[in-house]
Amino acid sequence: MTDDQLLRYSRHILLDEIGVEGQQKFLDAHVLVIGAGGLGSPALLYLGSAGIGTLTVVDHDSVDLTNLQRQIIHDTARVGLTKATSAAQSIAAINPDVRVRALVERAGAERLHELVGAADVVLDCSDNFATRHAVNRACVAHTKPLVAGAAIRFDGQISVYDVRSAASPCYACLFPEDAGFEEVRCATMGVFAPLVGIIGSMQAAEALKLLAGIGPTLAGRLQMLDGRAMEWTEIGIERRVDCPVCSRRRS
C-alpha cells in the first residue's frame, strides 16, 4: 500500500475490524455490479471510494433525464451517454486507482457465468426478475456471494445469498423461478429517490463486510424498509432442500 493509499483509506484503517489487512483485501478484490441505475449508483460510488481494486459494471442502457432524480452517479451533462461509461467516469473522478470495466451490454446467462466466475462478490442492482434469477444461477454455480437489493415506490428490500455456507438459501429459495411474481418498474410505478440510496448503500456495506470478513452479514435474513414510516421489518429465510437451483449444487 502506498503512502497516498494509507492516507486515502486512513479512516478505514483506523477501524479494528478492517485495519491495513482488511483494506488490502478491498484493494485486491473484484466486485461485479449488475446495473448502474438507482441501486447501482450509490453502491458503485461507495465501493469505488472504499478502494475496491476492480469494479466490473454491466448496464446496457443510456442516461435519460428521468434517471437523474435518483441515479446519483450520473449528471445532466451525461444524458445520452451509456450508464456504464458514465459510472466509470464518476468513479475515476473520486478514486482514479480503481480499475473499472464498463460493459455496455445486457448480459445473458452464458455471459453472466463468465463474469461471475471472475468476481469475488456480486451485487444485483437490476430491476427485473429474469436478470435476478440469471445472476443467482451464476452465483450458485460458482459459489459466489450475492448481495441483492430491490426498491419500488416507497418499499425496499435487501438480503445476502451466500451459498458458501450450507445453511444459506439462494435467491430462488425465497423467490422461486416458477412463482410468477408480478413485474413492476420505476418507469410505471415511481420510486422515492432516497430509498434507492439507502438500499444501494447497504448493498455496498454488505459487500465490504463479506470481503473483509466482518460479520454477521444479511445471509438468511431479508430486511424490508417502509420508506414512508422509515421502519424496518426483518424475516428469516430458510434454504429449501428441494430448490431446483441450489439443492443439486450442494448435494
mmCIF file with all atom_site columns, all heavy atoms in Angstrom, residues 1 18 47 63 79 107 122 136 144 193 222 226 241:
data_model
loop_
_atom_site.group_PDB
_atom_site.id
_atom_site.type_symbol
_atom_site.label_atom_id
_atom_site.label_alt_id
_atom_site.label_comp_id
_atom_site.label_asym_id
_atom_site.label_entity_id
_atom_site.label_seq_id
_atom_site.pdbx_PDB_ins_code
_atom_site.Cartn_x
_atom_site.Cartn_y
_atom_site.Cartn_z
_atom_site.occupancy
_atom_site.B_iso_or_equiv
_atom_site.pdbx_formal_charge
_atom_site.auth_seq_id
_atom_site.auth_comp_id
_atom_site.auth_asym_id
_atom_site.auth_atom_id
_atom_site.pdbx_PDB_model_num
ATOM 1  N N   . MET A 1 1   ? 0.849   -1.181  0.000   1.00 0.00 ? 1   MET A N   1
ATOM 2  C CA  . MET A 1 1   ? 0.000   0.000   0.000   1.00 0.00 ? 1   MET A CA  1
ATOM 3  C C   . MET A 1 1   ? 0.893   1.243   0.000   1.00 0.00 ? 1   MET A C   1
ATOM 4  O O   . MET A 1 1   ? 1.832   1.337   0.793   1.00 0.00 ? 1   MET A O   1
ATOM 5  C CB  . MET A 1 1   ? -0.925  -0.005  1.210   1.00 0.00 ? 1   MET A CB  1
ATOM 6  C CG  . MET A 1 1   ? -2.191  0.818   1.050   1.00 0.00 ? 1   MET A CG  1
ATOM 7  S SD  . MET A 1 1   ? -3.293  0.696   2.484   1.00 0.00 ? 1   MET A SD  1
ATOM 8  C CE  . MET A 1 1   ? -3.638  -1.054  2.541   1.00 0.00 ? 1   MET A CE  1
ATOM 9  N N   . ILE A 1 18  ? -11.271 -3.614  10.275  1.00 0.00 ? 18  ILE A N   1
ATOM 10 C CA  . ILE A 1 18  ? -10.738 -3.541  8.909   1.00 0.00 ? 18  ILE A CA  1
ATOM 11 C C   . ILE A 1 18  ? -9.218  -3.467  8.948   1.00 0.00 ? 18  ILE A C   1
ATOM 12 O O   . ILE A 1 18  ? -8.534  -4.406  8.553   1.00 0.00 ? 18  ILE A O   1
ATOM 13 C CB  . ILE A 1 18  ? -11.337 -2.341  8.146   1.00 0.00 ? 18  ILE A CB  1
ATOM 14 C CG1 . ILE A 1 18  ? -12.862 -2.513  8.001   1.00 0.00 ? 18  ILE A CG1 1
ATOM 15 C CG2 . ILE A 1 18  ? -10.693 -2.219  6.752   1.00 0.00 ? 18  ILE A CG2 1
ATOM 16 C CD1 . ILE A 1 18  ? -13.556 -1.362  7.292   1.00 0.00 ? 18  ILE A CD1 1
ATOM 17 N N   . LEU A 1 47  ? -18.311 1.692   -3.220  1.00 0.00 ? 47  LEU A N   1
ATOM 18 C CA  . LEU A 1 47  ? -17.298 0.672   -3.486  1.00 0.00 ? 47  LEU A CA  1
ATOM 19 C C   . LEU A 1 47  ? -16.049 1.297   -4.100  1.00 0.00 ? 47  LEU A C   1
ATOM 20 O O   . LEU A 1 47  ? -14.923 0.929   -3.752  1.00 0.00 ? 47  LEU A O   1
ATOM 21 C CB  . LEU A 1 47  ? -17.863 -0.403  -4.412  1.00 0.00 ? 47  LEU A CB  1
ATOM 22 C CG  . LEU A 1 47  ? -18.961 -1.288  -3.807  1.00 0.00 ? 47  LEU A CG  1
ATOM 23 C CD1 . LEU A 1 47  ? -19.584 -2.171  -4.879  1.00 0.00 ? 47  LEU A CD1 1
ATOM 24 C CD2 . LEU A 1 47  ? -18.417 -2.138  -2.668  1.00 0.00 ? 47  LEU A CD2 1
ATOM 25 N N   . VAL A 1 63  ? -28.080 7.077   -20.148 1.00 0.00 ? 63  VAL A N   1
ATOM 26 C CA  . VAL A 1 63  ? -28.597 8.037   -19.176 1.00 0.00 ? 63  VAL A CA  1
ATOM 27 C C   . VAL A 1 63  ? -29.725 8.855   -19.800 1.00 0.00 ? 63  VAL A C   1
ATOM 28 O O   . VAL A 1 63  ? -29.583 9.409   -20.896 1.00 0.00 ? 63  VAL A O   1
ATOM 29 C CB  . VAL A 1 63  ? -27.483 8.980   -18.680 1.00 0.00 ? 63  VAL A CB  1
ATOM 30 C CG1 . VAL A 1 63  ? -28.035 9.979   -17.671 1.00 0.00 ? 63  VAL A CG1 1
ATOM 31 C CG2 . VAL A 1 63  ? -26.331 8.179   -18.083 1.00 0.00 ? 63  VAL A CG2 1
ATOM 32 N N   . VAL A 1 79  ? -26.430 12.995  -20.121 1.00 0.00 ? 79  VAL A N   1
ATOM 33 C CA  . VAL A 1 79  ? -27.655 12.469  -20.717 1.00 0.00 ? 79  VAL A CA  1
ATOM 34 C C   . VAL A 1 79  ? -27.338 11.985  -22.140 1.00 0.00 ? 79  VAL A C   1
ATOM 35 O O   . VAL A 1 79  ? -26.745 12.710  -22.939 1.00 0.00 ? 79  VAL A O   1
ATOM 36 C CB  . VAL A 1 79  ? -28.764 13.541  -20.743 1.00 0.00 ? 79  VAL A CB  1
ATOM 37 C CG1 . VAL A 1 79  ? -29.942 13.082  -21.608 1.00 0.00 ? 79  VAL A CG1 1
ATOM 38 C CG2 . VAL A 1 79  ? -29.237 13.834  -19.319 1.00 0.00 ? 79  VAL A CG2 1
ATOM 39 N N   . ALA A 1 107 ? -26.275 -8.635  -20.236 1.00 0.00 ? 107 ALA A N   1
ATOM 40 C CA  . ALA A 1 107 ? -25.596 -9.915  -20.080 1.00 0.00 ? 107 ALA A CA  1
ATOM 41 C C   . ALA A 1 107 ? -26.592 -11.059 -19.972 1.00 0.00 ? 107 ALA A C   1
ATOM 42 O O   . ALA A 1 107 ? -27.476 -11.056 -19.116 1.00 0.00 ? 107 ALA A O   1
ATOM 43 C CB  . ALA A 1 107 ? -24.691 -9.881  -18.854 1.00 0.00 ? 107 ALA A CB  1
ATOM 44 N N   . VAL A 1 122 ? -20.781 -10.387 -5.873  1.00 0.00 ? 122 VAL A N   1
ATOM 45 C CA  . VAL A 1 122 ? -21.671 -9.893  -6.929  1.00 0.00 ? 122 VAL A CA  1
ATOM 46 C C   . VAL A 1 122 ? -22.788 -9.076  -6.297  1.00 0.00 ? 122 VAL A C   1
ATOM 47 O O   . VAL A 1 122 ? -23.386 -9.497  -5.302  1.00 0.00 ? 122 VAL A O   1
ATOM 48 C CB  . VAL A 1 122 ? -22.274 -11.063 -7.730  1.00 0.00 ? 122 VAL A CB  1
ATOM 49 C CG1 . VAL A 1 122 ? -23.213 -10.539 -8.814  1.00 0.00 ? 122 VAL A CG1 1
ATOM 50 C CG2 . VAL A 1 122 ? -21.165 -11.926 -8.334  1.00 0.00 ? 122 VAL A CG2 1
ATOM 51 N N   . ASN A 1 136 ? -28.496 -15.089 -9.981  1.00 0.00 ? 136 ASN A N   1
ATOM 52 C CA  . ASN A 1 136 ? -28.494 -16.060 -8.882  1.00 0.00 ? 136 ASN A CA  1
ATOM 53 C C   . ASN A 1 136 ? -27.972 -17.417 -9.339  1.00 0.00 ? 136 ASN A C   1
ATOM 54 O O   . ASN A 1 136 ? -27.166 -18.052 -8.642  1.00 0.00 ? 136 ASN A O   1
ATOM 55 C CB  . ASN A 1 136 ? -29.912 -16.201 -8.324  1.00 0.00 ? 136 ASN A CB  1
ATOM 56 C CG  . ASN A 1 136 ? -29.990 -17.233 -7.214  1.00 0.00 ? 136 ASN A CG  1
ATOM 57 O OD1 . ASN A 1 136 ? -29.396 -17.073 -6.154  1.00 0.00 ? 136 ASN A OD1 1
ATOM 58 N ND2 . ASN A 1 136 ? -30.723 -18.306 -7.454  1.00 0.00 ? 136 ASN A ND2 1
ATOM 59 N N   . LYS A 1 144 ? -20.405 -18.030 -5.401  1.00 0.00 ? 144 LYS A N   1
ATOM 60 C CA  . LYS A 1 144 ? -20.029 -16.650 -5.115  1.00 0.00 ? 144 LYS A CA  1
ATOM 61 C C   . LYS A 1 144 ? -21.142 -15.955 -4.332  1.00 0.00 ? 144 LYS A C   1
ATOM 62 O O   . LYS A 1 144 ? -22.335 -16.144 -4.633  1.00 0.00 ? 144 LYS A O   1
ATOM 63 C CB  . LYS A 1 144 ? -19.771 -15.879 -6.417  1.00 0.00 ? 144 LYS A CB  1
ATOM 64 C CG  . LYS A 1 144 ? -18.598 -16.429 -7.238  1.00 0.00 ? 144 LYS A CG  1
ATOM 65 C CD  . LYS A 1 144 ? -17.289 -16.326 -6.498  1.00 0.00 ? 144 LYS A CD  1
ATOM 66 C CE  . LYS A 1 144 ? -16.142 -16.990 -7.240  1.00 0.00 ? 144 LYS A CE  1
ATOM 67 N NZ  . LYS A 1 144 ? -15.685 -16.220 -8.415  1.00 0.00 ? 144 LYS A NZ  1
ATOM 68 N N   . ALA A 1 193 ? -36.785 8.760   -4.257  1.00 0.00 ? 193 ALA A N   1
ATOM 69 C CA  . ALA A 1 193 ? -35.365 8.858   -4.579  1.00 0.00 ? 193 ALA A CA  1
ATOM 70 C C   . ALA A 1 193 ? -34.429 8.392   -3.457  1.00 0.00 ? 193 ALA A C   1
ATOM 71 O O   . ALA A 1 193 ? -33.525 7.590   -3.702  1.00 0.00 ? 193 ALA A O   1
ATOM 72 C CB  . ALA A 1 193 ? -35.020 10.291  -4.999  1.00 0.00 ? 193 ALA A CB  1
ATOM 73 N N   . LEU A 1 222 ? -33.915 -11.369 5.321   1.00 0.00 ? 222 LEU A N   1
ATOM 74 C CA  . LEU A 1 222 ? -34.408 -10.375 4.373   1.00 0.00 ? 222 LEU A CA  1
ATOM 75 C C   . LEU A 1 222 ? -34.870 -9.160  5.160   1.00 0.00 ? 222 LEU A C   1
ATOM 76 O O   . LEU A 1 222 ? -35.752 -9.262  6.024   1.00 0.00 ? 222 LEU A O   1
ATOM 77 C CB  . LEU A 1 222 ? -35.582 -10.931 3.556   1.00 0.00 ? 222 LEU A CB  1
ATOM 78 C CG  . LEU A 1 222 ? -36.240 -9.939  2.578   1.00 0.00 ? 222 LEU A CG  1
ATOM 79 C CD1 . LEU A 1 222 ? -35.305 -9.639  1.408   1.00 0.00 ? 222 LEU A CD1 1
ATOM 80 C CD2 . LEU A 1 222 ? -37.575 -10.487 2.069   1.00 0.00 ? 222 LEU A CD2 1
ATOM 81 N N   . ASP A 1 226 ? -39.976 0.166   4.905   1.00 0.00 ? 226 ASP A N   1
ATOM 82 C CA  . ASP A 1 226 ? -41.123 1.005   4.552   1.00 0.00 ? 226 ASP A CA  1
ATOM 83 C C   . ASP A 1 226 ? -40.614 2.440   4.559   1.00 0.00 ? 226 ASP A C   1
ATOM 84 O O   . ASP A 1 226 ? -40.387 3.023   5.615   1.00 0.00 ? 226 ASP A O   1
ATOM 85 C CB  . ASP A 1 226 ? -42.244 0.826   5.583   1.00 0.00 ? 226 ASP A CB  1
ATOM 86 C CG  . ASP A 1 226 ? -43.463 1.709   5.303   1.00 0.00 ? 226 ASP A CG  1
ATOM 87 O OD1 . ASP A 1 226 ? -43.347 2.686   4.529   1.00 0.00 ? 226 ASP A OD1 1
ATOM 88 O OD2 . ASP A 1 226 ? -44.527 1.450   5.885   1.00 0.00 ? 226 ASP A OD2 1
ATOM 89 N N   . VAL A 1 241 ? -34.631 -27.364 0.702   1.00 0.00 ? 241 VAL A N   1
ATOM 90 C CA  . VAL A 1 241 ? -33.863 -28.562 0.334   1.00 0.00 ? 241 VAL A CA  1
ATOM 91 C C   . VAL A 1 241 ? -34.238 -29.058 -1.058  1.00 0.00 ? 241 VAL A C   1
ATOM 92 O O   . VAL A 1 241 ? -33.480 -29.804 -1.685  1.00 0.00 ? 241 VAL A O   1
ATOM 93 C CB  . VAL A 1 241 ? -34.078 -29.690 1.376   1.00 0.00 ? 241 VAL A CB  1
ATOM 94 C CG1 . VAL A 1 241 ? -33.509 -29.278 2.719   1.00 0.00 ? 241 VAL A CG1 1
ATOM 95 C CG2 . VAL A 1 241 ? -35.563 -30.039 1.508   1.00 0.00 ? 241 VAL A CG2 1
#
